[in-house]
Amino acid sequence: MEPLPRWDVSHLYPGLDSPEFREAWDALVRAIDDLVALFDRHGVNRKESPPPLPETVDAFEEVLTRYNEVLREQHTLGAYINSFLTTDSRDARAQAAWSEFQQRTMPLSQLSTRLIAWIGSLDTDGLVERSPVARDHEFAVRRAREWAAHLMSPAEEALAIELDLTGGAAWAKLYDTFTSQLMVKLTLDGEERTLPISAVRNLAYDPDRTVRQRAYEAELATWAQSAVPLAAALNSIKGQVNTLTRRRGWASPLEAALFANHIDRTTLDAMMEAAWESFPDFRRYLHAKARLLGLPRLAWYDLFAPVGSFSRQWEFAEARDFILQQFGTYSPRLRALAERAFAERRIDAEPRPGKQDGAFCMWLRGEESLILVNYKAAFGKMSTLAHELGHAYHNLNLAPRTMVRRFTPMTLAETASIFCETIVKEAALAQADEKEQLAILEADLQNACQVVVDITSRFLFESRVFEGRQQRELTPEELCEAMTEAQRKTYGDGLDPNALHPYMWAAKPHYYSADVSFYNFPYMFGLLFGLGLYAQYRQDPDSFRARYDDLLSSTGMADAATLAARFGIDIRTPHFWRQGLETIRANIDRFVALVDSLSGGCVPEL
């Protein structure tokens, strides 16, 4: 087997200690200082009454153009530092660089708030009419006016940003550093071993139930030992969000999250209504999997147990070749993007101590993205790799856009990743025998169950935490109880109620951000929206391709309902979401039929 790749960013700078990196750092600091001076010179801040348009247009165009340029410089430098930090949190040089980077670039966050407040004070209709730059950024300009109504005073906003470095951002950093360095002791094959917690969580995919159970128990024990600092981090972050939400005049953190995600409450409620209706079908899937495994009921540690079998092992090289082949069936452009990612070492696939768990795609600069996965030879991990390459394709289409116009909300950020994941899944199914079909459907439904059922449990949990945190801090025991209650409500009788995961609040990094709340429902939006788009692609591939790339390049330039309407989709009704879930239901039917044919319909006794 080939060794799993690590990404290489030396083409950008030779290292964190290199003169080239220091030169770029110094240039960014000077650019930020110059931008502050530019904002001051043009009086960019909240105005009591709109200033005359003729004197505003030139100032707006100069300010926004330079602001976009500096944001791009800041992003690339920050992504470069993060490429070291996310792959080895024990890298003291990277930790120091990131801390200094946050401190040095803090004025940009303050300038962002000033810019929003200023635009909110302007005659935005007149500005869009008279300024080509404003017309190019019309969506952002009009959103800024609405956003400005939820800002505190300039002094309060500046203080909130400054205090965040030692508040929410510091707690988030503690979580990332602390959890990435957690080591877990457990016995495997009669030998006591110590593994990174990411490797232990990967054992959830092991075919041996004893291994899965031991890993689950060891993981829970480790989270229990770590619960006090993690609960402190969670309480502090949610407390900060509650305070700032209230001071900014939002009705709740959820209302602010909906605005940030470019959707409204009607859309969320329509999607959630359809999701709850689908839970009995997901429980049918869980019961069928239990039958196949010879169990009366699945425990939490059986959720990711492999079923079926593959003639291929899905080693990394095999996964790479399959992804390239299938991406090529969609378009040469998509395949070329993936080829560059593999050939130019933009992928870090090796699990190792200090490396962040899970998977993500991080835009670096221009058309370049970095992809982090913790790869294991399994279909599900190959699918994850295709998913992250989909994010890279989205970034490719966003490359020509300015920084303000490329901002993509989480709801739309999953569009290309779900689409690319579906391409490889459908291709694998078409080539598979019965046992392979079972394994592929299982991987697909396993993911769908997480994104629909488990995401709903996370939504319920976070809602309860925000509500409870308004009164006081919540203890680790209360957090565990809130989590298991949410899991019981959503999974129902699909799982053994005595073998759930009370510490999922500790295992999921999504809760530990003061900048992004409700890092859950957008995943469901992305899955169902992506499935709906894929269905349209199958109906008319040639027409779809041209419109699709334009859609991906525009995800920061319109709200979700407007973009969906380009494809004849109304996201504010349960009907659309039921259509996406119907695709999943059809796969559940197919999975259950395969299970019954293999197991003879036998049901283990409870």
Side-chain angles (χ1 to χ4, degrees), residues 46 88 160 178 260:
R46 178 183 295 170
D88 186 2
F178 182 79

Side-chain angles (χ1 to χ4, degrees), residues 411-430:
T411 40
L412 297 171
E414 296 298 312
T415 303
S417 55
I418 295 298
F419 188 88
C420 288
E421 188 178 339
T422 305
I423 288 174
V424 298
K425 179 201 73 179
E426 292 296 320
L429 272 174

Side-chain angles (χ1 to χ4, degrees), residues 268-510:
L268 177 66
D269 289 345
M271 183 178 71
M272 285 298 188
E273 179 182 335
W276 280 96
E277 291 172 357
S278 73
F279 289 174
D281 289 298
F282 280 104
R283 290 165 192 164
R284 282 197 300 122
Y285 150 67
L286 295 172
H287 292 155
K289 181 170 181 177
R291 290 200 302 276
L292 193 64
L293 294 174
L295 301 171
R297 193 73 49 84
L298 295 180
W300 186 275
Y301 51 84
D302 299 314
L303 273 172
F304 306 108
V307 300
S309 60
F310 287 100
S311 57
R312 59 180 71 189
Q313 296 301 310
W314 298 109
E315 298 293 348
F316 187 83
E318 192 174 14
R320 176 194 61 211
D321 294 344
F322 187 78
I323 288 170
L324 291 176
Q325 181 184 6
Q326 303 314 320
F327 279 12
T329 65
Y330 175 75
S331 74
R333 189 167 182 252
L334 177 59
R335 177 181 174 123
L337 175 279
E339 285 176 335
R340 291 196 299 273
F342 287 112
E344 297 174 11
R345 297 183 60 188
R346 299 181 190 175
I347 298 173
D348 196 297
E350 178 193 47
R352 56 190 183 273
K355 181 179 175 181
Q356 184 170 316
D357 194 13
F360 65 79
C361 175
M362 175 172 62
W363 177 55
L364 184 61
R365 66 174 183 179
E367 297 181 354
E368 295 180 61
S369 295
L370 297 176
I371 292 167
L372 181 145
V373 294
N374 285 275
Y375 196 81
K376 177 184 171 111
F379 175 83
K381 294 297 184 179
M382 186 275 290
S383 181
T384 296
L385 183 55
H387 179 104
E388 299 305 333
L389 284 164
H391 284 299
Y393 186 69
H394 195 161
N395 289 336
L396 172 68
N397 285 284
L398 286 169
R401 303 300 189 189
T402 64
M403 291 297 288
V404 169
R405 295 199 300 167
R406 70 169 290 129
F407 171 77
T408 295
M410 288 169 53
T411 40
L412 297 171
E414 296 298 312
T415 303
S417 55
I418 295 298
F419 188 88
C420 288
E421 188 178 339
T422 305
I423 288 174
V424 298
K425 179 201 73 179
E426 292 296 320
L429 272 174
Q431 300 176 15
D433 60 24
E434 191 174 74
K435 288 186 177 180
E436 287 179 322
Q437 288 177 30
L438 189 69
I440 294 167
L441 286 169
E442 156 59 14
D444 183 60
L445 293 174
Q446 184 185 106
N447 178 68
C449 188
Q450 286 291 292
V451 175
V452 178
V453 181
D454 201 70
I455 283 294
T456 305
S457 77
R458 298 181 216 175
F459 178 79
L460 294 176
F461 168 79
E462 192 161 5
S463 299
R464 181 170 168 182
V465 170
F466 271 125
E467 182 180 352
R469 188 62 185 86
Q470 290 177 359
Q471 309 303 320
R472 58 175 175 81
E473 292 184 349
L474 303 176
T475 66
E477 292 75 17
E478 288 173 317
L479 293 171
C480 287
E481 173 53 33
M483 181 56 76
T484 51
E485 180 183 355
Q487 290 168 356
R488 284 192 294 267
K489 285 182 177 179
T490 50
Y491 284 97
D493 67 358
L495 291 181
D496 180 350
N498 298 313
L500 299 175
H501 198 309
Y503 287 99
M504 192 50 65
W505 60 269
K508 287 293 178 186
H510 303 93

Side-chain angles (χ1 to χ4, degrees), residues 33-54:
D33 290 342
D34 291 345
L35 190 61
V36 171
L38 180 66
F39 271 54
D40 290 343
R41 186 165 72 251
H42 287 301
V44 176
N45 224 323
R46 178 183 295 170
K47 306 293 183 183
E48 293 305 318
S49 58
L53 269 177

Side-chain angles (χ1 to χ4, degrees), residues 28-29 32 36 74 98-113 157-166:
L28 175 62
V29 171
I32 293 173
V36 171
Q74 177 223 20
W98 182 246
S99 178
E100 187 178 355
F101 178 81
Q102 288 180 302
Q103 190 73 37
R104 290 285 194 172
T105 59
M106 179 186 62
L108 268 180
S109 297
Q110 295 171 327
L111 292 182
S112 174
T113 303
E157 288 291 350
L159 180 61
I161 291 167
E162 191 168 348
L163 289 177
D164 183 62
L165 288 180
T166 52

Side-chain angles (χ1 to χ4, degrees), residues 236-253:
S236 299
I237 289 168
K238 299 310 182 191
Q240 176 176 312
V241 172
N242 270 341
T243 299
L244 291 176
T245 296
R246 184 174 63 254
R247 294 294 298 269
R248 288 171 175 151
W250 296 103
S252 66

